[in-house]
Amino acid sequence: MSTVHQQDIEDRPARLTVGVVGAGRVGPALAASLQLAGHRPVAVSGVSDASRRRAETMLPDVPLVPPAEVLRRSDLVLLTVPDDALPGLVSGLAETGAVRPGQLLVHTSGRYGARVLDPALRAGALPLALHPAMTFTGTPVDVQRLAGCSFGVTAPEELRLAAEALVIEMGGEPEWISEENRPLYHAALALGANHLVTLVAQSLELLRTAGVGAPDRMLGPLLGAALDNALRSGDAALTGPVARGDAGTVAAHVGELRKHAPQAVAGYLAMARATADRALAHGLLKPELAEDLLGVLADGSGATDGTNGTNGTEGNA
């Protein structure tokens, strides 16, 4: 890997021209937050109509140009494309000579560290991986949400201060992630945030099916309290029929899900098994109650002692 010279950093102007390659939900929000810090967005690229509209809303009067032109105009380039597209984009930009020596090249992928930018580094760019641990809507509210947001930061040691300074200017909190730990770091965030959306959406659908008129109002306080308790206390915050070892209740759940939402059964069983394992390991689930519960979860039939806990009907009904 080429050496990044400290002089390249020190010679940079205090305020930078900023370009965005990939006007998805993330790039325009980061560029807008850098603009609030005094930097100047000068170019953005986007392919779809939605990305172009988003760029026009978040970065008004900033011209839409091809990616190579974004790099030509910018001191700091945000590469905000999907993870799988990033390596090819970096290689293509480096091969076409679009990358300039001394140019700050920042990607926002959670999966990758700085090494994915090696082709650009060999062309003289200064590589930074700055991943905001935040979900984005593609609207101006995202800029506000960056206040206090943690960023997973990976960069050459000599660029560490520059990376942290950019994060702080965007209102975020830098958290250093080693190159080898980036995939694990990203998996942890996906497990907590992306899967949460699926779980909440399924819960909303089931409540509507059960006749609840305002499921969002019902879930809001409950989920807010559960999240707060989990962040404060970890596994000690576990409650509910799995942690209590109520095998009959869990069997009834499975039976009802099979009737009304069979597509939710596999997810329910998987999460219940994981919850049972954690509850056992932390002494919350009594071993003498675990056997029947784990039997229900292993069988997946929604039955205990031949019933599913609802009027004695068969679990597979």
Side-chain angles (χ1 to χ4, degrees):
M1 181 179 290
S2 303
T3 301
V4 178
H5 298 291
Q6 188 68 29
Q7 183 178 358
D8 290 335
I9 304 165
E10 295 172 349
D11 288 345
R12 293 202 148 275
R15 302 294 89 184
L16 303 169
T17 54
V18 178
V20 179
V21 176
R25 296 182 180 184
V26 178
L30 298 188
S33 66
L34 287 169
Q35 185 173 32
L36 291 176
H39 300 288
R40 186 164 60 93
V42 294
V44 59
S45 72
V47 177
S48 69
D49 290 340
S51 65
R52 289 173 176 268
R53 287 193 298 270
R54 190 178 299 116
E56 291 168 358
T57 299
M58 300 282 288
L59 301 170
D61 303 322
V62 176
L64 282 157
V65 298
E69 182 64 15
V70 172
L71 269 70
R72 190 186 70 80
R73 299 186 184 192
S74 309
D75 301 314
L76 165 63
V77 180
L78 300 171
L79 303 179
T80 52
V81 298
D83 290 359
D84 288 352
L86 182 61
L89 173 66
V90 175
S91 296
L93 291 172
E95 289 170 2
T96 58
V99 178
R100 301 199 318 268
Q103 189 170 46
L104 281 165
L105 213 59
V106 177
H107 80 71
T108 59
S109 165
R111 171 186 173 187
Y112 292 108
R115 288 184 191 141
V116 72
L117 298 173
D118 277 359
L121 174 61
R122 289 190 287 270
L126 308 179
L128 306 175
L130 308 180
H131 175 251
M134 177 54 61
T135 183
F136 288 80
T137 64
T139 66
V141 71
D142 295 332
V143 179
Q144 302 170 22
R145 288 180 173 175
L146 288 174
C149 167
S150 292
F151 280 65
V153 177
T154 306
E157 184 63 32
E158 54 268 46
L159 286 176
R160 183 166 183 161
L161 291 179
E164 292 177 345
L166 284 173
V167 170
I168 291 170
E169 285 192 315
M170 287 186 282
E173 296 287 340
E175 183 72 37
W176 195 257
I177 308 294
S178 66
E179 184 80 32
E180 60 272 18
N181 283 337
R182 290 289 290 209
L184 179 61
Y185 152 80
H186 195 224
L189 295 180
L191 184 65
N194 303 154
H195 297 174
L196 176 63
V197 174
T198 301
L199 291 173
V200 172
Q202 285 186 333
S203 183
L204 289 168
E205 290 174 354
L206 292 171
L207 286 172
R208 290 190 191 99
T209 302
V212 175
D216 54 341
R217 190 165 66 238
M218 178 177 282
L219 279 180
L222 174 64
L223 297 184
L227 176 60
D228 183 64
N229 291 341
L231 291 174
R232 291 174 184 271
S233 304
D235 287 300
L238 281 172
T239 63
V242 172
R244 291 191 298 266
D246 291 342
T249 298
V250 172
H253 289 177
V254 176
E256 288 301 297
L257 290 174
R258 288 198 184 281
K259 294 177 188 176
H260 299 289
Q263 73 281 0
V265 171
Y268 180 95
L269 290 172
M271 291 304 300
R273 290 181 192 119
T275 300
D277 288 344
R278 299 190 74 88
L280 267 173
H282 289 82
L284 300 173
L285 174 59
K286 296 178 181 179
E288 60 269 25
L289 298 177
E291 184 175 357
D292 284 347
L293 174 66
L294 295 175
V296 171
L297 298 177
D299 179 270
S301 67
T304 55
D305 296 328
T307 72
N308 72 349
T310 55
N311 300 324
T313 55
E314 289 301 317
N316 287 328

